[in-house]
Amino acid sequence: MARFHHVTDRVLVGTSHLYTTTTTVVIGAAGGCLVIDPAVTPDDIGVLAAELRERGLRVVAGFSTHPHWDHVLWSAELGTAPRYATTANVAAVRKHRADGIRIADDEAPGHDPDLFGRLTPLPDTATTLPWDGPAVRVLEHQAHAPGHAALHIPSEHVLLTADTCSDIEIPLLDPNASDAVADYRHALRLFAAVSDVRHVIPGHGSVGDGAELHRRIAADHEYLDHLAAGGGDTDPRLTEEWLVKSHQAHLEYLTSTAGGR
């Protein structure tokens, strides 16, 4: 993982070489910090823990944006702070925990299985994270995975979109959703309605400014438009075999469901 850099005075981002996965740290009061999606190999988390120590920061809260294995990892080096997630995220992790641990062992071996997905559900009525730091708004949606959440930090003008609005990935739909396209479009509209965003941080890809957020929203809508018409294979983000296979799976999904409305 590359060393963390400041997006704002209070928001740091590091990027793993594996899947171009981002980890975000938000600095709170008295040296406390919030860690969002610590990724993704044990070495990555070791780099994160070392940087936090070097900066005099201690983890007082964590957050998992969604239930996929690479977003529910942890290490004893990060301490025992509560790791929050939406209720639907927690339920999905518990249901598929054994599969998630198996995939993590295949893709990034060496993680402590006892710490995998040990998440604390937020109350269903919660709209912000309970921690001593800048207000962090939780924007729950169902794009990509159950209980997916974007995070908005108004004081920092930052929007974390997790596994949506990426500059390097097409929209990745949830194959188990009844209308995955509608779910994804809902999330895009949710993001577009957030005012005064100056920094967008995706779960995979690069940090962008406010104009880039809206460019990515438009690009994702355009991909979904083409997908609904049986196309989408010319999207410039289709640069890797796994993304091409995901696109083909989307086309198959639309032929077998009522999605695409």
Side-chain angles (χ1 to χ4, degrees), residues 70-88:
D70 51 328
H71 295 266
V72 297
L73 302 168
W74 202 253
S75 166
E77 289 187 90
L78 299 178
T80 59
R83 302 154 55 191
Y84 297 109
T86 65
T87 299

mmCIF file of all heavy atoms in Angstrom, residues 70-88:
data_model
loop_
_atom_site.group_PDB
_atom_site.id
_atom_site.type_symbol
_atom_site.label_atom_id
_atom_site.label_comp_id
_atom_site.label_asym_id
_atom_site.label_seq_id
_atom_site.Cartn_x
_atom_site.Cartn_y
_atom_site.Cartn_z
ATOM 1 N N ASP A 70 -13.369 -7.899 0.982
ATOM 2 C CA ASP A 70 -12.258 -6.951 1.026
ATOM 3 C C ASP A 70 -12.617 -5.648 1.731
ATOM 4 O O ASP A 70 -11.787 -4.727 1.786
ATOM 5 C CB ASP A 70 -11.740 -6.657 -0.391
ATOM 6 C CG ASP A 70 -12.826 -6.252 -1.372
ATOM 7 O OD1 ASP A 70 -13.965 -6.730 -1.233
ATOM 8 O OD2 ASP A 70 -12.544 -5.464 -2.293
ATOM 9 N N HIS A 71 -13.819 -5.572 2.295
ATOM 10 C CA HIS A 71 -14.239 -4.370 3.017
ATOM 11 C C HIS A 71 -14.634 -4.663 4.464
ATOM 12 O O HIS A 71 -15.182 -3.789 5.136
ATOM 13 C CB HIS A 71 -15.387 -3.692 2.268
ATOM 14 C CG HIS A 71 -14.984 -3.174 0.926
ATOM 15 N ND1 HIS A 71 -14.575 -1.879 0.711
ATOM 16 C CD2 HIS A 71 -14.883 -3.800 -0.279
ATOM 17 C CE1 HIS A 71 -14.256 -1.716 -0.562
ATOM 18 N NE2 HIS A 71 -14.429 -2.868 -1.179
ATOM 19 N N VAL A 72 -14.354 -5.876 4.937
ATOM 20 C CA VAL A 72 -14.713 -6.242 6.316
ATOM 21 C C VAL A 72 -13.503 -6.808 7.067
ATOM 22 O O VAL A 72 -13.651 -7.546 8.033
ATOM 23 C CB VAL A 72 -15.885 -7.245 6.347
ATOM 24 C CG1 VAL A 72 -17.137 -6.615 5.757
ATOM 25 C CG2 VAL A 72 -15.544 -8.544 5.626
ATOM 26 N N LEU A 73 -12.301 -6.432 6.638
ATOM 27 C CA LEU A 73 -11.069 -6.946 7.225
ATOM 28 C C LEU A 73 -10.650 -6.109 8.434
ATOM 29 O O LEU A 73 -11.071 -4.969 8.599
ATOM 30 C CB LEU A 73 -9.960 -6.950 6.169
ATOM 31 C CG LEU A 73 -10.262 -7.768 4.907
ATOM 32 C CD1 LEU A 73 -9.242 -7.475 3.819
ATOM 33 C CD2 LEU A 73 -10.305 -9.259 5.227
ATOM 34 N N TRP A 74 -9.776 -6.704 9.245
ATOM 35 C CA TRP A 74 -9.276 -5.994 10.423
ATOM 36 C C TRP A 74 -8.019 -6.689 10.911
ATOM 37 O O TRP A 74 -7.673 -7.778 10.415
ATOM 38 C CB TRP A 74 -10.331 -5.974 11.528
ATOM 39 C CG TRP A 74 -10.162 -4.876 12.542
ATOM 40 C CD1 TRP A 74 -9.732 -5.001 13.840
ATOM 41 C CD2 TRP A 74 -10.427 -3.477 12.345
ATOM 42 N NE1 TRP A 74 -9.727 -3.768 14.462
ATOM 43 C CE2 TRP A 74 -10.140 -2.813 13.564
ATOM 44 C CE3 TRP A 74 -10.864 -2.725 11.271
ATOM 45 C CZ2 TRP A 74 -10.280 -1.433 13.736
ATOM 46 C CZ3 TRP A 74 -11.011 -1.356 11.418
ATOM 47 C CH2 TRP A 74 -10.724 -0.722 12.648
ATOM 48 N N SER A 75 -7.337 -6.051 11.859
ATOM 49 C CA SER A 75 -6.135 -6.621 12.461
ATOM 50 C C SER A 75 -6.070 -6.198 13.911
ATOM 51 O O SER A 75 -6.520 -5.101 14.276
ATOM 52 C CB SER A 75 -4.888 -6.137 11.716
ATOM 53 O OG SER A 75 -3.713 -6.415 12.454
ATOM 54 N N ALA A 76 -5.466 -7.051 14.723
ATOM 55 C CA ALA A 76 -5.267 -6.701 16.132
ATOM 56 C C ALA A 76 -4.417 -5.449 16.278
ATOM 57 O O ALA A 76 -4.527 -4.724 17.275
ATOM 58 C CB ALA A 76 -4.617 -7.872 16.867
ATOM 59 N N GLU A 77 -3.587 -5.151 15.262
ATOM 60 C CA GLU A 77 -2.764 -3.939 15.303
ATOM 61 C C GLU A 77 -3.608 -2.667 15.332
ATOM 62 O O GLU A 77 -3.123 -1.610 15.749
ATOM 63 C CB GLU A 77 -1.848 -3.882 14.087
ATOM 64 C CG GLU A 77 -0.718 -4.864 14.067
ATOM 65 C CD GLU A 77 0.215 -4.605 12.900
ATOM 66 O OE1 GLU A 77 1.168 -3.827 13.076
ATOM 67 O OE2 GLU A 77 -0.038 -5.155 11.812
ATOM 68 N N LEU A 78 -4.859 -2.780 14.874
ATOM 69 C CA LEU A 78 -5.739 -1.610 14.837
ATOM 70 C C LEU A 78 -6.551 -1.451 16.111
ATOM 71 O O LEU A 78 -7.284 -0.469 16.256
ATOM 72 C CB LEU A 78 -6.676 -1.702 13.626
ATOM 73 C CG LEU A 78 -5.993 -1.733 12.260
ATOM 74 C CD1 LEU A 78 -7.028 -1.882 11.147
ATOM 75 C CD2 LEU A 78 -5.137 -0.489 12.029
ATOM 76 N N GLY A 79 -6.438 -2.416 17.031
ATOM 77 C CA GLY A 79 -7.123 -2.289 18.306
ATOM 78 C C GLY A 79 -8.514 -2.899 18.309
ATOM 79 O O GLY A 79 -8.896 -3.645 17.396
ATOM 80 N N THR A 80 -9.280 -2.557 19.328
ATOM 81 C CA THR A 80 -10.581 -3.189 19.569
ATOM 82 C C THR A 80 -11.743 -2.209 19.478
ATOM 83 O O THR A 80 -12.805 -2.451 20.048
ATOM 84 C CB THR A 80 -10.584 -3.854 20.957
ATOM 85 O OG1 THR A 80 -10.321 -2.851 21.961
ATOM 86 C CG2 THR A 80 -9.539 -4.954 21.044
ATOM 87 N N ALA A 81 -11.552 -1.122 18.772
ATOM 88 C CA ALA A 81 -12.632 -0.131 18.625
ATOM 89 C C ALA A 81 -13.821 -0.754 17.909
ATOM 90 O O ALA A 81 -13.664 -1.689 17.121
ATOM 91 C CB ALA A 81 -12.126 1.074 17.833
ATOM 92 N N PRO A 82 -15.030 -0.243 18.146
ATOM 93 C CA PRO A 82 -16.196 -0.761 17.417
ATOM 94 C C PRO A 82 -16.067 -0.504 15.927
ATOM 95 O O PRO A 82 -15.595 0.555 15.498
ATOM 96 C CB PRO A 82 -17.376 0.024 18.019
ATOM 97 C CG PRO A 82 -16.755 1.249 18.610
ATOM 98 C CD PRO A 82 -15.394 0.841 19.076
ATOM 99 N N ARG A 83 -16.478 -1.477 15.148
ATOM 100 C CA ARG A 83 -16.438 -1.380 13.684
ATOM 101 C C ARG A 83 -17.885 -1.376 13.192
ATOM 102 O O ARG A 83 -18.551 -2.403 13.193
ATOM 103 C CB ARG A 83 -15.671 -2.568 13.115
ATOM 104 C CG ARG A 83 -14.251 -2.669 13.635
ATOM 105 C CD ARG A 83 -13.708 -4.076 13.612
ATOM 106 N NE ARG A 83 -13.791 -4.673 12.282
ATOM 107 C CZ ARG A 83 -13.577 -5.961 12.057
ATOM 108 N NH1 ARG A 83 -13.289 -6.798 13.056
ATOM 109 N NH2 ARG A 83 -13.664 -6.426 10.819
ATOM 110 N N TYR A 84 -18.365 -0.205 12.802
ATOM 111 C CA TYR A 84 -19.770 -0.044 12.485
ATOM 112 C C TYR A 84 -20.084 -0.436 11.035
ATOM 113 O O TYR A 84 -19.216 -0.436 10.161
ATOM 114 C CB TYR A 84 -20.194 1.399 12.730
ATOM 115 C CG TYR A 84 -20.075 1.827 14.172
ATOM 116 C CD1 TYR A 84 -19.075 2.728 14.569
ATOM 117 C CD2 TYR A 84 -20.946 1.343 15.139
ATOM 118 C CE1 TYR A 84 -18.960 3.122 15.898
ATOM 119 C CE2 TYR A 84 -20.841 1.730 16.469
ATOM 120 C CZ TYR A 84 -19.842 2.623 16.841
ATOM 121 O OH TYR A 84 -19.727 3.000 18.148
ATOM 122 N N ALA A 85 -21.350 -0.736 10.819
ATOM 123 C CA ALA A 85 -21.874 -1.030 9.486
ATOM 124 C C ALA A 85 -23.392 -0.943 9.557
ATOM 125 O O ALA A 85 -23.972 -0.935 10.651
ATOM 126 C CB ALA A 85 -21.445 -2.418 9.017
ATOM 127 N N THR A 86 -24.039 -0.875 8.413
ATOM 128 C CA THR A 86 -25.502 -0.895 8.414
ATOM 129 C C THR A 86 -25.986 -2.274 8.863
ATOM 130 O O THR A 86 -25.271 -3.278 8.768
ATOM 131 C CB THR A 86 -26.063 -0.603 7.024
ATOM 132 O OG1 THR A 86 -25.690 -1.664 6.133
ATOM 133 C CG2 THR A 86 -25.538 0.731 6.476
ATOM 134 N N THR A 87 -27.217 -2.301 9.326
ATOM 135 C CA THR A 87 -27.798 -3.567 9.784
ATOM 136 C C THR A 87 -27.813 -4.605 8.672
ATOM 137 O O THR A 87 -27.501 -5.783 8.896
ATOM 138 C CB THR A 87 -29.222 -3.325 10.308
ATOM 139 O OG1 THR A 87 -29.178 -2.412 11.409
ATOM 140 C CG2 THR A 87 -29.873 -4.616 10.769
ATOM 141 N N ALA A 88 -28.175 -4.182 7.458
ATOM 142 C CA ALA A 88 -28.223 -5.126 6.330
ATOM 143 C C ALA A 88 -26.830 -5.638 5.984
ATOM 144 O O ALA A 88 -26.673 -6.806 5.601
ATOM 145 C CB ALA A 88 -28.866 -4.453 5.123
#
